[in-house]
Amino acid sequence: MNVKRMRTRHHRSNGSNGASRQLNGQIPMNRNHVFDSHGPDVRVRGTAQQLFEKYLQLGRDATGSGDRVAAEAYFQHAEHYFRILNAMAQAAQQSQQERAERQAARQQRVTSNASEDEEDDQAEAENEAVAEVKDLSSEPQPELSEG
């Protein structure tokens, strides 16, 4: 049996059901997303905000104890999660702006449809008035008798 083929077949069956392909390899930008972080000496689990605060505190503690190398490593991890927080904030702001633009476009369509309906109603009323005038002119007129 071909070993290379076996490895490839087992490698593909990761149970993701194509979810990674749908996201193009990106983690969804959700502020409640929980990360597993493997720091220099610790393993921490939490949201980006929690991990940022935790690594910042660990860096301060290491600085206080005189371990500059560990402090720098913790501060680098804190910076990483700070950048993730900024990326999430930018994504949320962009999403909010897109929603506002869609809402404005929707409102504009509703307004333009309403004005078109008014124009249609006005044109229909004018046509009805003209039709009434035409109907009256086609009817026989009473004769005036003298005397």
Side-chain angles (χ1 to χ4, degrees):
M1 184 179 269
N2 191 347
V3 176
K4 188 173 185 180
R5 176 183 274 173
M6 251 177 86
R7 264 190 259 134
T8 306
R9 184 173 58 229
H10 291 296
H11 176 69
R12 281 191 220 149
S13 63
N14 59 5
S16 67
N17 294 332
S20 62
R21 279 181 267 145
Q22 292 173 352
L23 298 173
N24 296 328
Q26 294 180 355
I27 296 173
M29 288 296 192
N30 179 353
R31 67 184 190 131
N32 296 324
H33 183 79
V34 176
F35 294 91
D36 278 328
S37 176
H38 302 281
D41 296 331
V42 295
R43 181 171 179 260
V44 186
R45 182 177 171 88
T47 65
Q49 180 69 39
Q50 292 169 336
L51 293 175
F52 168 69
E53 292 170 0
K54 180 67 174 178
Y55 281 121
L56 204 57
Q57 187 59 47
L58 288 170
R60 289 181 188 138
D61 292 345
T63 300
S65 67
D67 190 352
R68 291 177 28 201
V69 174
E72 183 63 26
Y74 288 130
F75 287 139
Q76 286 180 359
H77 278 77
E79 181 184 12
H80 170 71
Y81 287 103
F82 181 74
R83 289 174 187 244
I84 289 175
L85 287 170
N86 281 339
M88 286 182 194
Q90 286 177 348
Q93 184 179 13
Q94 183 178 5
S95 174
Q96 183 179 11
Q97 186 177 13
E98 289 172 357
R99 276 194 304 270
E101 289 172 359
R102 283 194 306 268
Q103 180 66 24
R106 192 176 307 121
Q107 186 64 31
Q108 188 176 9
R109 281 195 309 269
V110 167
T111 304
S112 67
N113 286 343
S115 64
E116 286 176 7
D117 289 345
E118 286 178 13
E119 290 173 3
D120 290 346
D121 291 345
Q122 187 177 8
E124 189 176 316
E126 289 174 2
N127 289 341
E128 287 175 1
V130 169
E132 286 180 19
V133 170
K134 288 180 182 177
D135 288 345
L136 292 177
S137 65
S138 65
E139 292 183 10
Q141 298 292 322
E143 294 182 23
L144 294 176
S145 58
E146 293 183 20

